[in-house]
Amino acid sequence: MKFLDQAKIYIRSGDGGDGVTAFRREKYIEFGGPDGGNGGRGGDIIFEAVPNLNTLIDFRYTQHFRARKGGNGAGSDRTGAAASAVVIKVPIGTQIMDDDRVTLLADLDKPGMRITLCRGGDGGYGNANYKTSTNRAPRRSDKGWPGEERWVWLRLKLIADAGLVGLPNAGKSTFLSVVSAARPKIADYPFTTLHPQLGVVRLSMTEEFVLADIPGLIEGAHEGTGLGDRFLGHVERCAVLLHLIDGAAGDVVAAWRTIRHELAAYGGGLDEKPEIIALNKNDAMTPREASARRAALQKASGAPVVLISAATHQGVPELLRMMLDAVTHAREEARHAED
């Protein structure tokens, strides 16, 4: 299934049903009178977050969603039937933006979360509604109120506990395949990852977290260079970022600074998230090179650097434990904030 994380769709709720002008005319009943019923409500447009979806690909083929009009009223004071709502199912983590792509209308970040974005029009009044002591035979009835319509953008931000960032060929896909059951594409050329990948990392029967891998960033990604930085939206919700650096590539400090600059340029608080720095491909460095590059990176970042090799699993269990501890700490803080 192709991954799609943005889509533009048109939505329109249903118009209200029309009221009716009718009079009671029955044999052997001396006095008649108005008995025109009201129109029914038009259908709403409702968005619902469901757990069994992970892409917006369905909206590539269906972009228009319209609810039905409410039923018209009828004689004998019969009200028209209300139209059914149109429920649009989206993946958890979907944001609904206005047509300007700036105004946030809704953020469906929890399973089962619902929002009515376009309300159906109310039904018009029938002439029975206008009967008064001085107006015994009104002939007025109203049309139903129109529904609402708009174009909206859907943007999917994956729900993950931890996110992988780094330059292309830093070994992110290899790391994800080693620590989870995910099977991303792995090759010895840049940009093998073209869309985000999710993997569940299990440390024990009761300890697990979700790890997201996104396409590699390069210098100038915030200006559209390479694949751009749009995919960084998928790690905005992460509790911790794992910054993976190719230790065998040479200037590890420059690689670290490049990614940090792109995170700051993207915004969204990514540069303020807890960061774990890992120097990957230790198996491709001599002990002296590994020690020198790790020391240089620790000095530049002011943070500890973990030395690992995703290919040989060296240092990986210890790194996963650090990530789980950071995720657990973030979950506890979020729980206390809600209380």
Side-chain angles (χ1 to χ4, degrees), residues 6-27:
Q6 286 193 14
K8 185 180 183 181
I9 63 172
Y10 170 82
I11 54 177
R12 192 185 196 286
S13 57
D15 297 337
D18 301 334
V20 70
T21 299
F23 292 90
R24 180 180 180 181
R25 294 183 178 89
E26 297 181 42
K27 195 174 183 179

Side-chain angles (χ1 to χ4, degrees), residues 237-258:
R237 305 181 193 270
C238 294
V240 62
L241 297 180
L242 173 60
H243 189 164
L244 216 57
I245 299 172
D246 183 358
D251 195 345
V252 295
V253 174
W256 174 79
R257 286 176 175 159
T258 295

Side-chain angles (χ1 to χ4, degrees), residues 14-83:
D15 297 337
D18 301 334
V20 70
T21 299
F23 292 90
R24 180 180 180 181
R25 294 183 178 89
E26 297 181 42
K27 195 174 183 179
Y28 306 120
I29 296 180
E30 182 178 0
F31 299 103
D35 66 352
N38 302 331
R41 272 200 67 207
D44 297 333
I45 299 291
I46 300 174
F47 286 85
E48 180 183 6
V50 295
N52 59 337
L53 295 176
N54 55 16
T55 176
L56 299 175
I57 187 63
D58 292 340
F59 300 102
R60 170 161 290 182
Y61 309 106
T62 306
Q63 289 98 20
H64 296 79
F65 297 86
R66 294 181 176 89
R68 291 184 177 274
K69 176 184 175 181
N72 295 333
S76 301
D77 288 318
R78 286 175 291 178
T79 300

Side-chain angles (χ1 to χ4, degrees), residues 200-251:
V200 178
V201 180
R202 287 189 174 88
L203 276 68
S204 68
M205 293 295 293
T206 58
E207 296 177 313
E208 66 179 32
F209 62 91
V210 179
L211 180 63
D213 175 27
I214 63 171
L217 300 169
I218 61 174
E219 186 175 359
H222 65 283
E223 298 174 345
T225 306
L227 296 179
D229 65 353
R230 178 168 62 91
F231 292 111
L232 281 174
H234 294 289
V235 295
E236 280 188 33
R237 305 181 193 270
C238 294
V240 62
L241 297 180
L242 173 60
H243 189 164
L244 216 57
I245 299 172
D246 183 358
D251 195 345

